[in-house]
Each structure stands twice: as C-alpha cells, then as structure tokens.
C-alpha cells in the first residue's frame, strides 16, 4: 500500500475479515493468500491456518520501519500479539512465543521532519522502549533491539540519525530494506541472541 505496511494496518477490516483465498498448490494458499491479490493473506482464518500449517512455535514481529509517528504503536502491537494468540487458541495449538524485533533507523529523518535527522532515531528509540516494556511484562514475549545492536556495532550510537548515513549503503538495498549482506548480518544478530 501507499507508504508501506504500518503497525496499525493489521487491524484494518479489509485484512482481518477478508475471505481466505484458495490458489493452486493446496496448503500453500494459507501462506500466499491468493498470490499478489493482497487480500486475505492476513485474515483471521488465514492467520490461524498459517500457524497450524507451519507449526509455529515462535512468531517474530519485526515491524515499525514505515511508522513515522507513534500512531498508538504499542496498543496496535498488543492487538497484533493478541490476534496471534487468539488464532492459536482457536486452532487448538499451543500459543507461539512472541519475538519482537526493534527495527533500525530507516533514514536520516522521515516525512515532514527531513531537516531534523534525529526525528526518525527518536521514533525508533521509542518503539524499542515499547518492545522492552512488553517483554518485561510477559514471560512469553522476548525482545531483540536490532536498532541499538547496529548502532553499537557500527559505533554510531552518538550520531543524531543513529549513523544511518554511515552504514545504510553497506547493509541496506534502498535505505530501508536489507540487501543480501544486510539480511545475512541481521539474521546472524538475531540468531546469536536467540
């Protein structure tokens, strides 16, 4: 969609109530939601079927790169976690553990704040704090602060934009999404902590 996926999108009626779409390939339809249609892949039924099909024991939520302001981020995240748990309960399978990944800074600034390089950094710091608080209050939620890990490793934690202008060309394809080297590096960070 315009502006990419945001944390609040998970509760949009067009996603949660969309019909489960079948495509050629049998059980793969639970994951693909009808190919490129964009409808139904995150319906309640599709989420439940996906959890059953995969046998999910850890649900990783790595979101927030497109969120440029609070937008009730934490409350939306709690709703997302509740949906995963409800889907598991409804499917009659064990609830997966939740792994929250705090996303890294995705640019020197976002939106109207382009003259304030610390604005994106402050937002990502806030999201990381939300993840930490959720993990501290629930034994079935863990948090990995990828945002801080990158800044620490790159030695850029004291820079206003978290060093994005220094390391983005090395690890990111387009300033937001990991390139192959970045994907390997971030996966290794996460694996080492797990």
């Amino acid at each position: 969609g315009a502006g990419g996926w945001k944390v609040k999108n998970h509760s949009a009626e067009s996603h949660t109530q969309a019909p489960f779409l079948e495509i050629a390939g049998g059980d793969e339809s639970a994951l693909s939601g009808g190919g490129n249609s964009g409808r139904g892949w995150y319906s309640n039924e599709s989420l439940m079927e996906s959890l059953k099909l995969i046998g999910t024991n850890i649900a990783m939520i790595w979101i927030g790169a497109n969120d440029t302001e609070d937008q009730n981020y934490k409350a939306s995240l709690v709703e997302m976690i509740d949906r995963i748990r409800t889907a598991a309960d409804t499917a009659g399978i064990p609830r997966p553990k939740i792994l929250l990944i705090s996303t890294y800074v995705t640019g020197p600034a976002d939106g109207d704040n382009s003259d304030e390089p610390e604005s994106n950094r402050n937002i990502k710091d806030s999201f990381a704090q939300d993840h930490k608080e959720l993990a501290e209050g629930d034994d079935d939620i863990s948090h990995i602060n990828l945002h801080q890990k990158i800044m620490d490793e790159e030695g850029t934690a004291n820079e206003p934009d978290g060093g994005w202008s220094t390391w983005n060309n090395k690890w990111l394809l387009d300033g937001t999404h990991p390139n192959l080297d970045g994907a390997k590096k971030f996966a290794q960070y996460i694996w080492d902590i797990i």
Side-chain angles (χ1 to χ4, degrees):
W5 189 260
K6 296 182 179 183
V7 71
K8 66 180 182 177
N9 294 127
H10 80 93
S11 61
E13 187 174 336
S14 62
H15 293 288
T16 61
Q17 302 305 318
F20 182 65
L21 302 174
E22 297 289 341
I23 62 166
D27 288 339
E28 292 177 5
S29 62
L31 300 176
S32 66
N36 295 323
S37 70
R39 297 261 320 161
W41 72 275
Y42 199 57
S43 69
N44 292 331
E45 183 181 356
S46 185
L47 177 60
M48 183 180 68
E49 291 299 318
S50 295
L51 291 173
K52 285 193 315 189
L53 179 66
I54 300 169
T56 305
N57 59 6
I58 297 176
M60 182 178 78
I61 300 174
W62 183 354
I63 196 164
N66 293 315
D67 291 282
T68 58
E69 56 190 61
D70 187 323
Q71 302 171 12
N72 297 315
Y73 181 85
K74 188 175 182 181
S76 292
L77 198 57
V78 169
E79 288 177 14
M80 190 181 300
I81 292 166
D82 288 346
R83 282 194 64 219
I84 292 168
R85 289 174 168 172
T86 298
D89 293 346
T90 303
I93 59 174
R95 288 180 170 184
K97 304 282 188 186
I98 305 294
L99 177 59
L100 301 174
I101 309 292
S102 296
T103 193
Y104 43 80
V105 173
T106 53
D110 278 339
D112 296 331
N113 298 318
S114 59
D115 58 338
E116 300 176 24
E118 68 278 0
S119 66
N120 191 325
R121 161 84 182 272
N122 292 340
I123 291 165
K124 301 316 181 223
D125 287 341
S126 171
F127 293 169
Q129 183 62 34
D130 289 342
H131 290 190
K132 181 180 176 187
E133 290 171 7
L134 287 171
E136 288 173 348
D138 189 320
D139 291 340
D140 290 330
I141 299 177
S142 299
H143 165 238
I144 295 176
N145 193 342
L146 184 60
H147 168 62
Q148 189 65 48
K149 175 73 175 158
I150 293 169
M151 290 188 300
D152 288 347
E153 182 161 307
E154 294 293 325
T156 59
N158 293 324
E159 294 180 25
D161 68 355
W164 177 89
S165 56
T166 303
W167 56 260
N168 90 84
N169 289 328
K170 185 169 28 171
W171 306 121
L172 305 179
L173 180 66
D174 58 2
T176 300
H177 302 94
N179 60 26
L180 183 58
D181 290 336
K184 290 177 182 177
K185 184 165 197 68
F186 302 157
Q188 191 63 56
Y189 283 160
I190 292 167
W191 182 252
D192 289 345
I193 293 169
I194 290 174

